[in-house]
Amino acid sequence: MSETENARPKWMTGILTSGPFRFGFVTTLGVLLALLLGAAIVSLSYAIMLIFLAIFISLGLYPVVTRLQNRGVSKTGAILIVLAGFIGIVVAMVLLITPIVIEQATELITTVPQYLTDIENQAWFVNLDTDFGGALTTLLALVTDAVADPNTWLVVGGGALAIGASIVNGVFGIIFVVVMTLYFVASLDQMKGALYELVPASQRRGFRELAEEIFDSIGKYLIGQIVLAALNATFSFILLTILGVRYAVVLAFLALFITLIPIIGPVISTTIMTVVTLFESPVTALIVAVVMIVYMQVESYVLTPRIIGKAISIPSALVLIAAFIGATLLGLLGALVAAPLVASILLILKKVIVPRQNLQ
């Protein structure tokens, strides 16, 4: 026994070595460690979100690599073709589409007060306002005051400094996601192989088959959802252009990202387009609403089964719940990845948990 232990009182030695004290001490350390880990995750949430976004994009691009390989293209060539196409799309959006979107979005924001003033004099607004006892005029006055108040835009934007920081972070985020996506697409097979080696050899085959099925389903779903969003945005742009809507580009650009959200995305996009076109003409807004509702039916019953197929097979109610929870936690990214994550969980339950339960 050491001199320190000899000098320590017996009652102190008993407390330090007793079960309850040791349990409480270890528990406290565990709670503190969990809090520190949680704080670290919160601090790194933006970086983690970008990494997960790059992973999901790479999973969406990899089925294209597989299809090119099936057509006789070498694996290296297929990866290079896909990466070149991905970089080309990103560059085209940044250099060609983004400036037009920024210009039209700025014009829309600056002309909203004038639109609100003009709408008050339109016959349909006057008739509705009369039917509702002047309630629309009161509501319009509140909206107009809020829009005209500079503090409103400072609160919404978080101030000029925050807006500038958001732009810088956005540019950095795009570059980071592009670079990480390139890396993940090029090394996805090695990453999956390393993951499989972590599983015991006796269970590796089953785990590999299940994981490959999940990865394949996620990839097909994501690429299909991107195609559907692109078709929706293209159709919206053509429709708004034919009707002479001034902000066709910015509305179509918004539709491209909003409609990535399954089921509720097209509804939100159609609502935004209808409200904006209402400033110009109620007839135009009605046409936009009717045509887009018809398009949503075609998308749901014709395009979606053909493009996505059975890659993701989950009830619509679960899709809505998952999209809402995902959007609350991680915004657009969370709403996009919610459906494939839920589908993956259901697949694991179907292939692993249910068979084990049936054996008991």
Side-chain angles (χ1 to χ4, degrees):
M1 183 177 294
S2 63
E3 296 181 0
T4 304
E5 290 178 342
N6 289 330
R8 180 186 299 161
K10 293 183 178 181
W11 63 269
M12 183 179 294
T13 303
I15 292 177
L16 292 175
T17 58
S18 62
F21 180 84
R22 182 179 299 173
F23 174 78
F25 182 75
V26 173
T27 302
T28 303
L29 288 179
V31 171
L32 291 175
L33 181 60
L35 292 175
L36 291 175
L37 182 61
I41 293 176
V42 171
S43 301
L44 298 174
S45 59
Y46 182 67
I48 294 173
M49 183 185 69
L50 294 180
I51 293 173
F52 272 98
L53 177 60
I55 292 174
F56 271 89
I57 293 176
S58 64
L59 290 176
L61 292 176
Y62 205 77
V64 182
V65 175
T66 304
R67 291 183 181 181
L68 290 175
Q69 286 183 267
N70 294 335
R71 295 187 178 183
V73 181
S74 65
K75 181 178 179 180
T76 303
I79 291 176
L80 291 177
I81 291 173
V82 171
L83 294 182
F86 175 68
I87 294 175
I89 293 174
V90 173
V91 172
M93 290 184 62
V94 172
L95 297 182
L96 300 179
I97 302 177
T98 305
I100 301 175
V101 172
I102 294 175
E103 179 183 354
Q104 289 197 357
T106 304
E107 181 182 350
L108 177 61
I109 292 174
T110 55
T111 55
V112 163
Q114 183 61 40
Y115 278 137
L116 294 175
T117 302
D118 294 341
I119 202 173
E120 188 176 6
N121 300 321
Q122 296 186 15
W124 67 270
F125 181 87
V126 174
N127 294 332
L128 284 177
D129 187 51
T130 302
D131 294 337
F132 286 98
L136 292 182
T137 301
T138 304
L139 178 61
L140 184 62
L142 294 175
V143 175
T144 303
D145 292 340
V147 171
D149 187 0
N151 293 325
T152 301
W153 300 106
L154 290 177
V155 172
V156 173
L161 182 61
I163 293 175
S166 299
I167 294 174
V168 173
N169 289 335
V171 173
F172 170 78
I174 293 174
I175 296 174
F176 181 82
V177 169
V178 170
V179 173
M180 292 302 297
T181 300
L182 299 180
Y183 172 77
F184 287 144
V185 172
S187 59
L188 190 60
D189 285 339
Q190 291 84 349
M191 293 171 60
K192 291 192 294 185
L195 174 64
Y196 300 151
E197 290 180 357
L198 298 177
V199 180
S202 59
Q203 303 176 3
R204 190 171 299 165
R205 181 177 179 181
F207 179 82
R208 180 192 295 270
E209 293 177 354
L210 180 60
E212 288 292 341
E213 186 174 352
I214 291 176
F215 292 147
D216 185 62
S217 297
I218 292 176
K220 290 180 179 179
Y221 168 79
L222 289 177
I223 196 68
Q225 200 66 30
I226 292 173
V227 171
L228 289 175
L231 291 175
N232 190 298
T234 303
F235 181 83
S236 300
F237 174 75
I238 294 174
L239 173 64
L240 296 174
T241 302
I242 293 175
L243 295 176
V245 178
R246 296 173 58 186
Y247 307 107
V249 176
V250 67
L251 292 175
F253 188 77
L254 288 175
L256 177 63
F257 293 97
I258 295 176
T259 53
L260 288 173
I261 305 174
I263 299 179
I264 59 175
V267 177
I268 297 174
S269 175
T270 299
T271 302
I272 294 175
M273 287 190 292
T274 303
V275 171
V276 173
T277 52
L278 185 62
F279 290 141
E280 297 188 4
S281 169
V283 176
T284 304
L286 180 61
I287 294 174
V288 169
V290 172
V291 173
M292 290 306 301
I293 289 174
V294 173
Y295 177 83
M296 284 191 290
Q297 303 309 309
V298 174
E299 181 180 273
S300 299
Y301 296 103
V302 178
L303 298 178
T304 300
R306 291 178 178 271
I307 295 176
I308 296 183
K310 298 181 180 180
I312 298 292
S313 179
I314 56 178
S316 299
L318 284 181
V319 174
L320 289 174
I321 295 173
F324 177 77
I325 295 175
T328 302
L329 295 176
L330 294 175
L332 177 62
L333 174 62
L336 174 62
V337 304
L341 286 179
V342 171
S344 301
I345 294 174
L346 292 179
L347 187 61
I348 293 173
L349 292 175
K350 179 181 178 181
K351 294 295 184 67
V352 179
I353 305 301
V354 173
R356 289 183 179 179
Q357 295 296 325
N358 292 334
L359 294 176
Q360 295 182 0

